[in-house]
Amino acid sequence: MSRRREVSHASARSLLMTVLGEYTLPRDTPVWTSMLVEVLGILDIEEKSARQALARSAAEGWMVSERVGRRVRWSLTPPGRRLLTEGAERIYAFGREERPWNGQWLMLIVSVPEAKRDLRHRLRTRLTWAGFGSPVAGVWVSPDLSRQREAQQIVSELGLDAQAMSFTAGYGEVGEQETMVARSWDLTELKDRYEDFIDRFTGLHPTGGRAVLRAQTELVHEWRRFPFLDPQLPAELLPAKWSGTKAAELFHHKHVDWRPEAQQYWDDIVAAEEAG
């Protein structure tokens, strides 16, 4: 299977959202179908898959189309703009600063019967996205006490607030804190992902607007996954020479370095489409 076909089937819609967040969101102007298809083509997305991604995004309420003569252009809906704005804030802020930690933990105790597997999966998914780890069944921990309100919202929306309990405290004298961290989060897999990111982009030096736009888009597309994978543990709880720190420095450096030429190439495509 060719890389072009493999990529188009796997992530056309996801790449479309990256493109919209990186280039369309800051401008707040409609974009022609042909232009989006062209840019996604630069990212190895076939035209058919690109058009399907547009249709799906519209069906989900993130975009709306407008016919102008024989052509169609697309705009972000208010919900789509909110979604991408929140995503952009999270992506571009992620890894920029290290937050101090006072040694306190938030512990959430909430159990779901084995028979309710769908509910268990939803709870695990949402708490994991919120940065919680689970050292043992029914127990979730986070070193970020500000997550308490989010945890409350999650258990409430899943109808589990009646049996949920929470505590804030420092780690005790029984057992090792490092062991709890190792049981709660798979930092080895996360480290490998960060190192793959570093390996992929460290030696990448694109030349020309088209190549820079592709590199910039792929950089953002890969980085946008980490806020959902990384619980953002304090430095005290991370292995020495944590690869996430180097990856964050690389992302922010490359993004600033490539941004002017990538944005200019986008504007050049816009001008060519308008002239055509």
Side-chain angles (χ1 to χ4, degrees):
M1 181 179 291
S2 69
R3 172 172 169 78
R4 184 179 181 88
R5 182 170 297 277
E6 179 183 346
V7 171
S8 67
H9 285 176
S11 56
R13 184 184 169 282
S14 182
L15 274 167
L16 171 63
M17 299 306 285
T18 299
V19 167
L20 294 173
E22 185 70 10
Y23 306 105
T24 302
L25 181 65
R27 290 167 173 79
D28 194 24
T29 55
V31 186
W32 298 108
T33 299
S34 54
M35 179 174 174
L36 290 171
V37 168
E38 179 181 347
V39 172
L40 288 172
I42 295 173
L43 299 162
D44 293 330
I45 301 299
E46 294 178 335
E47 180 176 349
K48 179 180 178 181
S49 296
R51 292 181 180 276
Q52 288 175 342
L54 284 166
R56 288 170 185 158
S57 298
E60 292 172 4
W62 308 130
M63 303 179 71
V64 62
S65 62
E66 173 191 12
R67 182 167 291 279
V68 181
R70 299 178 63 182
R71 306 174 72 194
V72 174
R73 62 185 182 183
W74 298 83
S75 300
L76 293 170
T77 62
R81 176 162 289 278
R82 284 196 300 272
L83 175 76
L84 292 177
T85 299
E86 292 170 4
E89 290 172 354
R90 189 166 189 173
I91 292 166
Y92 303 137
F94 184 73
R96 278 200 176 276
E97 57 185 41
E98 183 180 309
R99 292 174 292 183
W101 185 50
N102 62 2
Q104 294 291 295
W105 287 90
L106 168 62
M107 176 185 291
L108 176 68
I109 301 176
V110 54
S111 59
V112 180
E114 180 68 32
K116 298 183 178 180
R117 292 187 178 182
D118 180 62
L119 182 58
R120 285 165 63 96
H121 175 72
R122 290 164 62 198
L123 176 68
R124 174 172 290 277
T125 298
R126 294 191 60 182
L127 287 176
T128 298
W129 282 355
F132 283 82
S134 180
V136 295
V139 177
W140 295 85
V141 295
S142 171
D144 185 352
L145 302 190
S146 69
R147 296 287 188 182
Q148 193 157 193
R149 180 174 295 180
E150 187 173 1
Q152 173 63 50
Q153 181 179 356
I154 290 170
V155 296
S156 177
E157 290 178 356
L158 295 178
L160 296 168
D161 47 337
Q163 61 257 49
M165 297 177 285
S166 66
F167 303 88
T168 58
Y171 194 86
E173 297 181 1
V174 179
E176 298 293 334
Q177 184 168 250
E178 293 80 5
T179 301
M180 183 184 73
V181 171
R183 290 179 177 176
S184 301
W185 295 280
D186 188 350
L187 295 181
T188 300
E189 181 181 353
L190 181 59
K191 170 177 165 288
D192 290 343
R193 284 177 174 263
Y194 273 130
E195 291 181 351
D196 287 345
F197 179 88
I198 293 167
D199 291 343
R200 178 173 179 183
F201 292 103
T202 294
L204 191 58
H205 304 287
T207 57
R210 179 185 176 94
V212 174
L213 180 138
R214 173 174 177 140
Q216 176 82 325
T217 308
E218 291 181 341
L219 179 81
V220 174
H221 189 67
E222 291 299 318
W223 185 250
R224 61 180 271 199
R225 302 173 184 178
F226 286 111
F228 299 98
L229 298 172
D230 190 340
Q232 300 180 70
L233 300 179
E236 297 92 325
L237 302 176
L238 292 170
K241 298 182 180 179
W242 176 237
S243 56
T245 304
K246 183 177 180 180
E249 293 172 354
L250 176 66
F251 169 77
H252 292 294
H253 172 75
K254 293 285 190 181
H255 189 262
V256 170
D257 191 34
W258 291 341
R259 189 177 191 279
E261 192 167 358
Q263 296 288 333
Q264 184 58 56
Y265 190 75
W266 174 274
D267 288 336
D268 291 345
I269 300 175
V270 170
E273 286 287 336
E274 294 295 341

